[in-house]
Amino acid sequence: MITLAAFSPWRAEAQMASLSGLVSDPSGAAVAGADVTVRDINTGTARMSVTDGRGWYQVLALPVGNYEVMVRKSGFTEALRRGISLAVDQQATANIALQVGSVRQQVTV
């Protein structure tokens, strides 16, 4: 019985976190349709999202760990935010401001 409890789905779920945020342009306006990639820097595993009409993205059920967020949208430079640490049951926020420019340029936040 103790062995079964150690592998219960509830226990595995408790080790998760979520990450969400707003993607905006230099004026502060929401950027809809931006591609957001959330990558676990320890495992390389990536999850993707797309911002909604309000510029909002959300990635649920992320294992705890260290992450970076890459945001891409045509007409803007890529934005990379590093150093995001997620803890158990944390609902973290990582807002990203994009700069106008070529897609080939990258801005690290």
Side-chain angles (χ1 to χ4, degrees):
M1 184 121 163
I2 293 173
T3 303
L4 292 176
F7 295 106
S8 73
W10 176 83
R11 184 167 173 81
E13 186 176 328
Q15 301 300 312
M16 298 296 182
S18 66
L19 182 64
S20 59
L22 177 68
V23 177
S24 60
D25 68 11
S27 72
V31 176
D35 295 320
V36 179
T37 304
V38 177
R39 189 176 74 88
D40 183 324
I41 62 171
N42 296 321
T43 66
T45 303
R47 300 265 305 276
M48 302 197 158
S49 182
V50 176
T51 58
D52 65 15
R54 297 173 296 151
W56 188 256
Y57 74 92
Q58 185 175 37
V59 181
L60 303 174
L62 291 166
V64 297
N66 299 305
Y67 289 84
E68 65 182 18
V69 177
M70 169 72 73
V71 180
R72 294 182 178 103
K73 174 74 176 174
S74 180
F76 295 93
T77 59
E78 292 179 349
L80 177 63
R81 181 158 180 193
R82 294 185 170 141
I84 301 167
S85 296
L86 298 180
V88 175
D89 293 331
Q90 184 178 5
Q91 295 177 353
T93 301
N95 296 326
I96 308 284
L98 297 178
Q99 302 300 315
V100 176
S102 167
V103 174
R104 294 182 189 259
Q105 295 174 314
Q106 182 182 77
V107 177
T108 302
V109 183

